[in-house]
Amino acid sequence: MLRKLFIGAIALLSFTTATADEGMWLPSLIKERIKEMRKQGFKLKADDIYSDSKASLKDAVVQFGGGCTGEFVSPEGLLLTNHHCGYSSIQKLSSVEHDYLTDGFWAMSREEELPVPGLKVSLLVKMEDVTGRLAAGESRDDIIGKEIKGKGYRASIESMYYGNQYYLFVYCTFRDVRLVGAPPSSIGKFGGDTDNWIWPRHTGDFSVFRVYADANNEPADYSKENVPYRPKRYFKISTKGVNEGDFTMIYGFPGNTQEYITSKAVDYIEKVSNPMKIALRTIRLDIIREAQAKSVATRIAYAAKHAGIANSWKKWEGESLGLKNLNTAEKKTEYEKEFAEWAAGKPEYARLLDSINASYERVIPGYFMRELFNESIAGIELFSFASQLYNKALSQSKLPADEQAGIRKRYLKDYNREIDHAIARHMIREFVERMPKENIPQQLTAAIEKHGGAEALADELFAKTQLIDKYPLTKEEIYADPFVQFASWFAPCMIQNQKYAYRNLSNVPEVEKWYKAYMQALREWDKERAFYPDANFTLRVAYGAVTGYENADGEYHTHLTTLDGVLAKDNPEIYDYNIPQELRDIYDRKDYGRWAIEKNDGKSVPVCFLASNHTSGGNSGSPVINSKGELVGINFDRTWRSTMSDIEFDPAICRNISVDIRFVLFVMDRLGGAGYLLEEMGIK
Ligand code: ARG
Ligand code: GLU
């Protein structure tokens, strides 16, 4: 009753009411949602999405690399994902003579496809609720052991709802994966970090791979004898396009959400953690950008680093702003009050919130220290290099030159001493200013005093270190190096940080143990709420519709962008907006052939579209599926104002961004000259 009043007072956006579009559902339980999905236009059945016994759409979806999603689009193992998911593979295969990042790459035959060492793709074989088996005394190892039945199999047991349920996931991992094609970065990364998280968007963020298997269609190391993998299921592509209101479903591997955390945790993220991380990254990004503006070589060397630092930086800014605008912490406080009233009469739940809050009090200082350390000291590249060398030297009697060479290559290949030095001057100072005194290593305090400031200490370290210029180094030289000394002062700090090395603040065991009961209680109490487990890089289904949104008062953002917008942003002077000349020529001739759509009495080509699916990091590369189960796009981003959806989803503005499959095909066909791939995908 009270709650009803509260919902009225807080208006329409209360997170207590589940909306149709919120949620990341476990595929094996999708039968519980299928009625709702069909009401919204979906035509297939639950076991078309997921089945243990017959081929289903889940057999066409893969975990791509360590943090993305991909999908099969042909009977011969052809795979689509994002350009930013394939980026490091494309970079690895590139050289000065063959710069596939800049120029793009298209294999004109199977022989020309390029094996990517180390790249792996995993298919979900099955998933199963094993809560009962674990409770009955079966061990994790026993359960997993029984499931490793095939070549390339691996299994893991993942906790859902903070340990209330456990699911077994069995995967089959393929390790011969080859690059088939990628557009030039001027298309695949069009707009760069400026357009990242932004709508209107015009990025052709896709790349194409192929999975290879042995003669039995099973995983194998790379071999010339391997043949294209024949998936049980692949996506049929629809070239009919999307319209506002069309049903869409996303099938992929979202990495991390925290929808059930209490107000205290929201406060920590919004007001403590994000602002600290944003401030420190702003400093690093400013330094890198300034150096990049002065030199083309530096721009290239620091492109991937810049993208990585900037991506989360921008996300956190959007997230904190979103939480503030939604009043998430205040709403949660109200929600908790009502919960406490209900729980007061129930001995097993009555003190739960007190326990959660008390555990946050104890854990937050240590958790913050770890975050601060990671963003400051660990943000100095030479710190990581020195730590690696030091650990290696400690752990073995000799440190052979080739091993040093390996570490050097990893850390110093694209290294710029001036950038790192400038960053170190700031990061050491930020660390000591933001860290409680008692947690600052004594040697550091002493060294800062001795040299007359954090900046002077950084100058001294960079002036005296031999790590960058001398190779190979003896063990004695490594131990005596001032930067290695500096790194060693933080060893106790790093050991302490291990205690807090969990996915999120609320997953630190001392906190998480209370969440188990809290989740149970919430599910008993809040009967109207549709509960789904937080994302944890396991396979999920999200559904919604193609739709624009009101970005600001009187400013509606429509659902589709076109080639006209690409050309409007095109600027040969600006690296991130300098499109290939070929694309300009095609545009001038309006020579779009079959890819043309009607637009304002003229013609254009669709590029990206918006939808209301609940997605997160890890959903990059996910198939966007229409009501008939056909592929209409590849997911690659959210809008900036959506980014708080990892904590509170707002159906009014949360939108995911996908590249329209018609743009993917247009680029393959007209710029890549890879028409044979279209044939392979069944596009006539
Ligand atoms: N924001 C997207 C994601 O979170 C895309 C990131 C890659 N693109 C970029 N310009 N940095 O991963
Ligand atoms: N670009 C993100 C990824 O790589 C997806 C965007 C998001 O966070 O929703 O997973």
mmCIF file of all heavy atoms in Angstrom, residues 67-68 82-85 188-198 201 203 205 303-304 306-312 314-315 576 616-618 620 636-638 643, ligand 1:
data_model
loop_
_atom_site.group_PDB
_atom_site.id
_atom_site.type_symbol
_atom_site.label_atom_id
_atom_site.label_comp_id
_atom_site.label_asym_id
_atom_site.label_seq_id
_atom_site.Cartn_x
_atom_site.Cartn_y
_atom_site.Cartn_z
ATOM 1 N N GLY A 67 35.733 -10.609 -24.461
ATOM 2 C CA GLY A 67 34.719 -9.697 -23.929
ATOM 3 C C GLY A 67 33.668 -9.229 -24.912
ATOM 4 O O GLY A 67 33.027 -8.214 -24.694
ATOM 5 N N CYS A 68 33.491 -9.962 -25.994
ATOM 6 C CA CYS A 68 32.498 -9.548 -26.987
ATOM 7 C C CYS A 68 31.612 -10.715 -27.383
ATOM 8 O O CYS A 68 31.794 -11.845 -26.936
ATOM 9 C CB CYS A 68 33.187 -8.995 -28.241
ATOM 10 S SG CYS A 68 33.752 -7.287 -28.106
ATOM 11 N N ASN A 82 31.876 -6.856 -34.034
ATOM 12 C CA ASN A 82 32.189 -5.428 -34.249
ATOM 13 C C ASN A 82 33.622 -5.239 -34.731
ATOM 14 O O ASN A 82 34.490 -6.085 -34.496
ATOM 15 C CB ASN A 82 32.026 -4.629 -32.961
ATOM 16 C CG ASN A 82 30.589 -4.476 -32.504
ATOM 17 O OD1 ASN A 82 30.325 -4.464 -31.310
ATOM 18 N ND2 ASN A 82 29.660 -4.362 -33.443
ATOM 19 N N HIS A 83 33.871 -4.102 -35.361
ATOM 20 C CA HIS A 83 35.237 -3.703 -35.705
ATOM 21 C C HIS A 83 36.040 -3.508 -34.418
ATOM 22 O O HIS A 83 37.173 -3.948 -34.304
ATOM 23 C CB HIS A 83 35.203 -2.409 -36.517
ATOM 24 C CG HIS A 83 36.537 -1.973 -37.044
ATOM 25 N ND1 HIS A 83 37.320 -1.050 -36.396
ATOM 26 C CD2 HIS A 83 37.227 -2.355 -38.152
ATOM 27 C CE1 HIS A 83 38.440 -0.867 -37.093
ATOM 28 N NE2 HIS A 83 38.405 -1.638 -38.166
ATOM 29 N N HIS A 84 35.427 -2.878 -33.395
ATOM 30 C CA HIS A 84 36.201 -2.645 -32.174
ATOM 31 C C HIS A 84 36.469 -3.930 -31.408
ATOM 32 O O HIS A 84 37.379 -3.978 -30.589
ATOM 33 C CB HIS A 84 35.577 -1.532 -31.308
ATOM 34 C CG HIS A 84 34.409 -1.932 -30.466
ATOM 35 N ND1 HIS A 84 33.100 -1.691 -30.819
ATOM 36 C CD2 HIS A 84 34.348 -2.522 -29.254
ATOM 37 C CE1 HIS A 84 32.290 -2.124 -29.864
ATOM 38 N NE2 HIS A 84 33.028 -2.631 -28.900
ATOM 39 N N CYS A 85 35.693 -4.976 -31.683
ATOM 40 C CA CYS A 85 35.973 -6.283 -31.065
ATOM 41 C C CYS A 85 37.093 -7.008 -31.815
ATOM 42 O O CYS A 85 37.848 -7.773 -31.219
ATOM 43 C CB CYS A 85 34.724 -7.154 -31.064
ATOM 44 S SG CYS A 85 33.406 -6.488 -30.033
ATOM 45 N N GLY A 188 34.999 1.670 -39.963
ATOM 46 C CA GLY A 188 34.769 0.812 -38.799
ATOM 47 C C GLY A 188 34.876 1.551 -37.483
ATOM 48 O O GLY A 188 34.311 1.127 -36.478
ATOM 49 N N LYS A 189 35.650 2.662 -37.470
ATOM 50 C CA LYS A 189 35.798 3.442 -36.248
ATOM 51 C C LYS A 189 35.446 4.905 -36.537
ATOM 52 O O LYS A 189 35.916 5.808 -35.844
ATOM 53 C CB LYS A 189 37.252 3.324 -35.767
ATOM 54 C CG LYS A 189 37.438 3.572 -34.278
ATOM 55 C CD LYS A 189 38.886 3.328 -33.862
ATOM 56 C CE LYS A 189 39.088 3.526 -32.385
ATOM 57 N NZ LYS A 189 39.482 4.809 -31.934
ATOM 58 N N PHE A 190 34.625 5.101 -37.575
ATOM 59 C CA PHE A 190 34.256 6.459 -37.982
ATOM 60 C C PHE A 190 33.731 7.252 -36.783
ATOM 61 O O PHE A 190 32.879 6.774 -36.038
ATOM 62 C CB PHE A 190 33.186 6.416 -39.087
ATOM 63 C CG PHE A 190 32.752 7.768 -39.570
ATOM 64 C CD1 PHE A 190 33.558 8.488 -40.448
ATOM 65 C CD2 PHE A 190 31.560 8.337 -39.144
ATOM 66 C CE1 PHE A 190 33.173 9.749 -40.895
ATOM 67 C CE2 PHE A 190 31.167 9.592 -39.581
ATOM 68 C CZ PHE A 190 31.980 10.299 -40.457
ATOM 69 N N GLY A 191 34.260 8.459 -36.606
ATOM 70 C CA GLY A 191 33.829 9.275 -35.462
ATOM 71 C C GLY A 191 34.684 9.068 -34.228
ATOM 72 O O GLY A 191 34.627 9.878 -33.301
ATOM 73 N N GLY A 192 35.480 7.989 -34.222
ATOM 74 C CA GLY A 192 36.451 7.737 -33.155
ATOM 75 C C GLY A 192 35.862 7.876 -31.772
ATOM 76 O O GLY A 192 34.706 7.497 -31.520
ATOM 77 N N ASP A 193 36.672 8.428 -30.873
ATOM 78 C CA ASP A 193 36.222 8.582 -29.492
ATOM 79 C C ASP A 193 35.290 9.775 -29.328
ATOM 80 O O ASP A 193 34.600 9.895 -28.324
ATOM 81 C CB ASP A 193 37.422 8.712 -28.558
ATOM 82 C CG ASP A 193 38.154 7.387 -28.445
ATOM 83 O OD1 ASP A 193 37.492 6.338 -28.589
ATOM 84 O OD2 ASP A 193 39.383 7.388 -28.249
ATOM 85 N N THR A 194 35.262 10.662 -30.316
ATOM 86 C CA THR A 194 34.350 11.811 -30.237
ATOM 87 C C THR A 194 32.903 11.340 -30.338
ATOM 88 O O THR A 194 32.043 11.739 -29.559
ATOM 89 C CB THR A 194 34.644 12.795 -31.390
ATOM 90 O OG1 THR A 194 36.063 12.983 -31.459
ATOM 91 C CG2 THR A 194 33.954 14.119 -31.173
ATOM 92 N N ASP A 195 32.631 10.462 -31.293
ATOM 93 C CA ASP A 195 31.259 9.978 -31.479
ATOM 94 C C ASP A 195 30.915 8.804 -30.564
ATOM 95 O O ASP A 195 29.757 8.397 -30.495
ATOM 96 C CB ASP A 195 31.048 9.533 -32.937
ATOM 97 C CG ASP A 195 30.827 10.721 -33.861
ATOM 98 O OD1 ASP A 195 31.090 11.859 -33.433
ATOM 99 O OD2 ASP A 195 30.404 10.507 -35.012
ATOM 100 N N ASN A 196 31.924 8.240 -29.904
ATOM 101 C CA ASN A 196 31.682 7.083 -29.036
ATOM 102 C C ASN A 196 30.599 7.415 -28.006
ATOM 103 O O ASN A 196 30.604 8.497 -27.433
ATOM 104 C CB ASN A 196 33.001 6.715 -28.339
ATOM 105 C CG ASN A 196 32.931 5.365 -27.653
ATOM 106 O OD1 ASN A 196 32.106 4.510 -27.976
ATOM 107 N ND2 ASN A 196 33.815 5.170 -26.685
ATOM 108 N N TRP A 197 29.671 6.495 -27.793
ATOM 109 C CA TRP A 197 28.526 6.645 -26.868
ATOM 110 C C TRP A 197 27.541 7.727 -27.337
ATOM 111 O O TRP A 197 26.757 8.228 -26.524
ATOM 112 C CB TRP A 197 28.983 7.019 -25.448
ATOM 113 C CG TRP A 197 29.890 6.056 -24.758
ATOM 114 C CD1 TRP A 197 31.204 6.262 -24.443
ATOM 115 C CD2 TRP A 197 29.559 4.749 -24.253
ATOM 116 N NE1 TRP A 197 31.712 5.164 -23.785
ATOM 117 C CE2 TRP A 197 30.726 4.232 -23.659
ATOM 118 C CE3 TRP A 197 28.395 3.972 -24.244
ATOM 119 C CZ2 TRP A 197 30.772 2.960 -23.056
ATOM 120 C CZ3 TRP A 197 28.450 2.720 -23.649
ATOM 121 C CH2 TRP A 197 29.619 2.232 -23.064
ATOM 122 N N ILE A 198 27.602 8.104 -28.600
ATOM 123 C CA ILE A 198 26.809 9.248 -29.042
ATOM 124 C C ILE A 198 25.823 8.853 -30.148
ATOM 125 O O ILE A 198 26.124 8.018 -31.002
ATOM 126 C CB ILE A 198 27.753 10.369 -29.574
ATOM 127 C CG1 ILE A 198 28.638 10.937 -28.461
ATOM 128 C CG2 ILE A 198 26.976 11.481 -30.258
ATOM 129 C CD1 ILE A 198 27.918 11.727 -27.396
ATOM 130 N N ARG A 201 24.739 8.505 -34.734
ATOM 131 C CA ARG A 201 25.985 7.777 -34.931
ATOM 132 C C ARG A 201 26.093 7.293 -36.374
ATOM 133 O O ARG A 201 25.076 6.947 -36.980
ATOM 134 C CB ARG A 201 25.978 6.583 -33.979
ATOM 135 C CG ARG A 201 27.279 5.813 -33.957
ATOM 136 C CD ARG A 201 28.436 6.642 -33.375
ATOM 137 N NE ARG A 201 29.390 5.753 -32.753
ATOM 138 C CZ ARG A 201 29.300 5.338 -31.516
ATOM 139 N NH1 ARG A 201 28.305 5.734 -30.747
ATOM 140 N NH2 ARG A 201 30.197 4.515 -31.033
ATOM 141 N N THR A 203 28.877 5.001 -37.481
ATOM 142 C CA THR A 203 30.023 4.096 -37.491
ATOM 143 C C THR A 203 29.652 2.746 -38.105
ATOM 144 O O THR A 203 28.644 2.160 -37.718
ATOM 145 C CB THR A 203 30.521 3.881 -36.047
ATOM 146 O OG1 THR A 203 30.619 5.152 -35.400
ATOM 147 C CG2 THR A 203 31.874 3.205 -36.039
ATOM 148 N N ASP A 205 30.639 -0.228 -37.513
ATOM 149 C CA ASP A 205 31.447 -0.970 -36.534
ATOM 150 C C ASP A 205 31.271 -2.488 -36.692
ATOM 151 O O ASP A 205 30.651 -3.147 -35.861
ATOM 152 C CB ASP A 205 31.041 -0.514 -35.122
ATOM 153 C CG ASP A 205 32.071 -0.893 -34.075
ATOM 154 O OD1 ASP A 205 32.927 -1.755 -34.358
ATOM 155 O OD2 ASP A 205 32.009 -0.334 -32.962
ATOM 156 N N ALA A 303 46.735 5.205 -30.142
ATOM 157 C CA ALA A 303 45.321 5.160 -30.549
ATOM 158 C C ALA A 303 44.530 4.170 -29.697
ATOM 159 O O ALA A 303 43.484 4.506 -29.141
ATOM 160 C CB ALA A 303 45.208 4.797 -32.022
ATOM 161 N N ALA A 304 45.044 2.959 -29.576
ATOM 162 C CA ALA A 304 44.297 1.933 -28.841
ATOM 163 C C ALA A 304 44.256 2.262 -27.350
ATOM 164 O O ALA A 304 43.227 2.091 -26.690
ATOM 165 C CB ALA A 304 44.913 0.559 -29.065
ATOM 166 N N HIS A 306 44.423 5.239 -25.978
ATOM 167 C CA HIS A 306 43.498 6.358 -25.815
ATOM 168 C C HIS A 306 42.051 5.877 -25.858
ATOM 169 O O HIS A 306 41.226 6.241 -25.005
ATOM 170 C CB HIS A 306 43.733 7.415 -26.899
ATOM 171 C CG HIS A 306 42.889 8.639 -26.732
ATOM 172 N ND1 HIS A 306 41.591 8.708 -27.204
ATOM 173 C CD2 HIS A 306 43.116 9.812 -26.117
ATOM 174 C CE1 HIS A 306 41.076 9.878 -26.891
ATOM 175 N NE2 HIS A 306 41.980 10.576 -26.236
ATOM 176 N N ALA A 307 41.766 5.012 -26.835
ATOM 177 C CA ALA A 307 40.392 4.510 -26.978
ATOM 178 C C ALA A 307 39.961 3.775 -25.716
ATOM 179 O O ALA A 307 38.842 3.951 -25.223
ATOM 180 C CB ALA A 307 40.283 3.596 -28.200
ATOM 181 N N GLY A 308 40.870 2.962 -25.174
ATOM 182 C CA GLY A 308 40.533 2.180 -23.979
ATOM 183 C C GLY A 308 40.283 3.075 -22.776
ATOM 184 O O GLY A 308 39.297 2.898 -22.046
ATOM 185 N N ILE A 309 41.154 4.052 -22.569
ATOM 186 C CA ILE A 309 41.004 4.937 -21.399
ATOM 187 C C ILE A 309 39.749 5.794 -21.566
ATOM 188 O O ILE A 309 38.971 5.984 -20.637
ATOM 189 C CB ILE A 309 42.254 5.846 -21.236
ATOM 190 C CG1 ILE A 309 43.514 4.983 -21.038
ATOM 191 C CG2 ILE A 309 42.092 6.785 -20.042
ATOM 192 C CD1 ILE A 309 44.824 5.764 -21.140
ATOM 193 N N ALA A 310 39.556 6.295 -22.780
ATOM 194 C CA ALA A 310 38.440 7.220 -23.023
ATOM 195 C C ALA A 310 37.083 6.521 -22.959
ATOM 196 O O ALA A 310 36.090 7.123 -22.555
ATOM 197 C CB ALA A 310 38.605 7.888 -24.386
ATOM 198 N N ASN A 311 37.037 5.260 -23.352
ATOM 199 C CA ASN A 311 35.746 4.571 -23.422
ATOM 200 C C ASN A 311 35.059 4.524 -22.054
ATOM 201 O O ASN A 311 33.918 4.941 -21.907
ATOM 202 C CB ASN A 311 35.951 3.164 -23.988
ATOM 203 C CG ASN A 311 34.641 2.489 -24.337
ATOM 204 O OD1 ASN A 311 33.742 3.103 -24.908
ATOM 205 N ND2 ASN A 311 34.518 1.220 -23.984
ATOM 206 N N SER A 312 35.778 4.050 -21.031
ATOM 207 C CA SER A 312 35.160 3.964 -19.695
ATOM 208 C C SER A 312 34.987 5.353 -19.086
ATOM 209 O O SER A 312 34.003 5.630 -18.407
ATOM 210 C CB SER A 312 36.023 3.123 -18.761
ATOM 211 O OG SER A 312 36.290 1.884 -19.337
ATOM 212 N N LYS A 314 34.281 8.136 -20.511
ATOM 213 C CA LYS A 314 33.062 8.771 -21.008
ATOM 214 C C LYS A 314 31.824 8.053 -20.476
ATOM 215 O O LYS A 314 30.814 8.674 -20.162
ATOM 216 C CB LYS A 314 33.082 8.727 -22.544
ATOM 217 C CG LYS A 314 32.154 9.715 -23.210
ATOM 218 C CD LYS A 314 32.545 9.839 -24.674
ATOM 219 C CE LYS A 314 31.680 10.792 -25.447
ATOM 220 N NZ LYS A 314 32.095 10.874 -26.859
ATOM 221 N N LYS A 315 31.929 6.750 -20.358
ATOM 222 C CA LYS A 315 30.794 5.988 -19.828
ATOM 223 C C LYS A 315 30.492 6.400 -18.398
ATOM 224 O O LYS A 315 29.336 6.614 -18.028
ATOM 225 C CB LYS A 315 31.099 4.498 -19.893
ATOM 226 C CG LYS A 315 29.879 3.674 -19.576
ATOM 227 C CD LYS A 315 30.149 2.388 -18.891
ATOM 228 C CE LYS A 315 28.995 2.117 -17.953
ATOM 229 N NZ LYS A 315 29.032 0.815 -17.337
ATOM 230 N N ASP A 576 39.546 11.195 -37.594
ATOM 231 C CA ASP A 576 38.422 10.307 -37.298
ATOM 232 C C ASP A 576 37.235 10.491 -38.236
ATOM 233 O O ASP A 576 36.283 9.712 -38.207
ATOM 234 C CB ASP A 576 37.951 10.522 -35.853
ATOM 235 C CG ASP A 576 38.911 9.894 -34.848
ATOM 236 O OD1 ASP A 576 39.584 8.906 -35.215
ATOM 237 O OD2 ASP A 576 38.981 10.392 -33.712
ATOM 238 N N SER A 616 24.584 -4.154 -22.315
ATOM 239 C CA SER A 616 25.713 -3.634 -21.539
ATOM 240 C C SER A 616 27.013 -3.988 -22.243
ATOM 241 O O SER A 616 27.002 -4.624 -23.296
ATOM 242 C CB SER A 616 25.681 -4.226 -20.123
ATOM 243 O OG SER A 616 26.640 -3.575 -19.329
ATOM 244 N N GLY A 617 28.132 -3.554 -21.649
ATOM 245 C CA GLY A 617 29.430 -3.903 -22.205
ATOM 246 C C GLY A 617 29.546 -5.419 -22.300
ATOM 247 O O GLY A 617 29.235 -6.120 -21.340
ATOM 248 N N GLY A 618 29.990 -5.924 -23.445
ATOM 249 C CA GLY A 618 30.012 -7.372 -23.677
ATOM 250 C C GLY A 618 28.973 -7.728 -24.734
ATOM 251 O O GLY A 618 29.116 -8.697 -25.472
ATOM 252 N N SER A 620 28.631 -5.994 -27.223
ATOM 253 C CA SER A 620 29.194 -5.568 -28.495
ATOM 254 C C SER A 620 29.323 -6.755 -29.419
ATOM 255 O O SER A 620 29.849 -7.801 -29.039
ATOM 256 C CB SER A 620 30.578 -4.962 -28.290
ATOM 257 O OG SER A 620 30.443 -3.618 -27.978
ATOM 258 N N PHE A 636 26.472 -2.391 -31.100
ATOM 259 C CA PHE A 636 27.845 -1.991 -30.742
ATOM 260 C C PHE A 636 27.962 -0.908 -29.684
ATOM 261 O O PHE A 636 29.068 -0.626 -29.205
ATOM 262 C CB PHE A 636 28.655 -1.587 -31.981
ATOM 263 C CG PHE A 636 28.260 -0.278 -32.626
ATOM 264 C CD1 PHE A 636 28.945 0.893 -32.325
ATOM 265 C CD2 PHE A 636 27.244 -0.223 -33.550
ATOM 266 C CE1 PHE A 636 28.602 2.107 -32.925
ATOM 267 C CE2 PHE A 636 26.893 0.978 -34.163
ATOM 268 C CZ PHE A 636 27.570 2.141 -33.852
ATOM 269 N N ASP A 637 26.863 -0.311 -29.245
ATOM 270 C CA ASP A 637 27.027 0.772 -28.267
ATOM 271 C C ASP A 637 25.700 1.084 -27.600
ATOM 272 O O ASP A 637 24.650 0.523 -27.958
ATOM 273 C CB ASP A 637 27.569 2.027 -28.978
ATOM 274 C CG ASP A 637 28.425 2.899 -28.056
ATOM 275 O OD1 ASP A 637 28.576 2.547 -26.875
ATOM 276 O OD2 ASP A 637 28.939 3.935 -28.527
ATOM 277 N N ARG A 638 25.746 1.997 -26.625
ATOM 278 C CA ARG A 638 24.536 2.617 -26.085
ATOM 279 C C ARG A 638 24.700 4.117 -26.244
ATOM 280 O O ARG A 638 25.809 4.604 -26.446
ATOM 281 C CB ARG A 638 24.396 2.312 -24.589
ATOM 282 C CG ARG A 638 23.745 1.001 -24.279
ATOM 283 C CD ARG A 638 23.783 0.720 -22.783
ATOM 284 N NE ARG A 638 25.109 0.373 -22.330
ATOM 285 C CZ ARG A 638 25.462 0.244 -21.058
ATOM 286 N NH1 ARG A 638 24.573 0.446 -20.101
ATOM 287 N NH2 ARG A 638 26.696 -0.096 -20.723
ATOM 288 N N THR A 643 23.814 5.186 -20.130
ATOM 289 C CA THR A 643 24.842 4.341 -19.526
ATOM 290 C C THR A 643 24.561 3.966 -18.069
ATOM 291 O O THR A 643 25.143 3.025 -17.559
ATOM 292 C CB THR A 643 26.220 5.017 -19.623
ATOM 293 O OG1 THR A 643 26.071 6.383 -19.233
ATOM 294 C CG2 THR A 643 26.760 4.969 -21.030
HETATM 295 N N1 ARG B 1 31.356 2.427 -26.463
HETATM 296 C C1 ARG B 1 31.508 1.149 -27.088
HETATM 297 C C2 ARG B 1 31.882 0.102 -26.028
HETATM 298 O O1 ARG B 1 31.682 0.344 -24.887
HETATM 299 C C3 ARG B 1 32.483 1.200 -28.214
HETATM 300 C C4 ARG B 1 33.915 1.350 -27.833
HETATM 301 C C5 ARG B 1 34.873 1.322 -28.975
HETATM 302 N N2 ARG B 1 34.902 2.541 -29.757
HETATM 303 C C6 ARG B 1 35.660 3.634 -29.473
HETATM 304 N N3 ARG B 1 35.557 4.688 -30.220
HETATM 305 N N4 ARG B 1 36.503 3.673 -28.453
HETATM 306 O O2 ARG B 1 32.709 -0.725 -26.096
#
